[in-house]
């Protein structure tokens, strides 16, 4: 019985670490989109690959938040706004944090997050 429980816990930890790795790639690709001077085509490719993979490992709430964020930032959206971008990014981050079971009690009203870029490359 102890072996079974230990094995089950090990699998659960492995799965959580795998999800965190996928989320790390997603957030890294989103960050690449925010960096001025970054090769935008490469950044969009990394973002597309990360988004399409998340559908395999994330719960529906994360996928929905991600699709809402994508709808805001996609090329074909003529009504993009920084405010809406940041609101949807916060929703996405909160859903990811919930999925990986961050032990804090996040409050959407006071949770603040936005992308941080760098100065343009020369």
């Amino acid at each position: 019985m102890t072996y079974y429980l230990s094995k089950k816990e090990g699998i659960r930890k492995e799965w959580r670490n795998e999800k965190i790795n996928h989320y790390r790639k997603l957030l890294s690709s989103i960050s690449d989109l925010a960096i001025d001077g970054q090769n935008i085509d490469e950044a969009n490719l990394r973002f597309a690959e990360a988004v399409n993979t998340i559908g395999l490992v994330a719960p529906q709430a994360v996928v929905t938040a991600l699709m809402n964020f994508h709808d805001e930032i996609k090329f074909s959206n003529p009504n993009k706004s920084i405010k809406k971008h940041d609101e949807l990014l916060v929703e996405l981050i909160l859903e990811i944090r919930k999925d990986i079971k961050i032990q804090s009690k996040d409050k959407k009203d006071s949770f603040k997050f936005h992308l941080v870029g760098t100065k343009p490359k020369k």
Side-chain angles (χ1 to χ4, degrees):
M1 184 66 139
T2 303
Y3 172 79
Y4 171 78
L5 293 174
S6 296
K7 189 72 170 170
K8 187 175 179 180
E9 180 63 18
I11 291 170
R12 189 189 65 74
K13 284 181 180 178
E14 232 177 89
W15 178 240
R16 182 176 184 268
N17 288 339
E18 185 68 24
K19 284 175 115 179
I20 289 172
N21 189 42
H22 284 291
Y23 288 142
R24 184 179 293 121
K25 287 179 182 177
L26 174 66
L27 294 177
S28 177
S29 71
I30 291 171
S31 180
D32 286 348
L33 294 173
I35 297 174
D36 292 330
Q38 181 80 13
N39 181 323
I40 196 69
D41 291 332
E42 286 180 24
N44 276 308
L45 178 60
R46 282 191 298 278
F47 177 67
E49 289 171 348
V51 167
N52 294 335
T53 302
I54 289 298
L56 295 173
V57 299
Q60 183 176 351
V62 172
V63 173
T64 298
L66 180 55
M67 292 297 94
N68 291 339
F69 178 74
H70 176 260
D71 287 344
E72 176 62 26
I73 68 167
K74 65 185 176 183
F75 295 114
S76 60
N77 180 3
N79 302 315
K80 295 177 191 169
S81 90
I82 292 172
K83 183 178 187 226
K84 186 72 172 171
H85 170 282
D86 287 352
E87 287 172 5
L88 292 171
L89 182 60
V90 163
E91 285 181 27
L92 175 59
I93 297 295
L94 289 173
E95 289 299 335
I96 289 171
R97 290 168 59 89
K98 198 183 308 177
D99 182 39
I100 59 174
K101 299 182 182 14
I102 300 291
Q103 294 302 313
S104 66
K105 300 289 184 189
D106 293 331
K107 294 177 180 68
K108 185 177 179 181
D109 300 346
S110 61
F111 191 90
K112 219 172 163 81
F113 186 83
H114 60 270
L115 295 174
V116 177
T118 62
K119 67 181 182 179
K121 295 178 182 178
K122 294 184 181 196

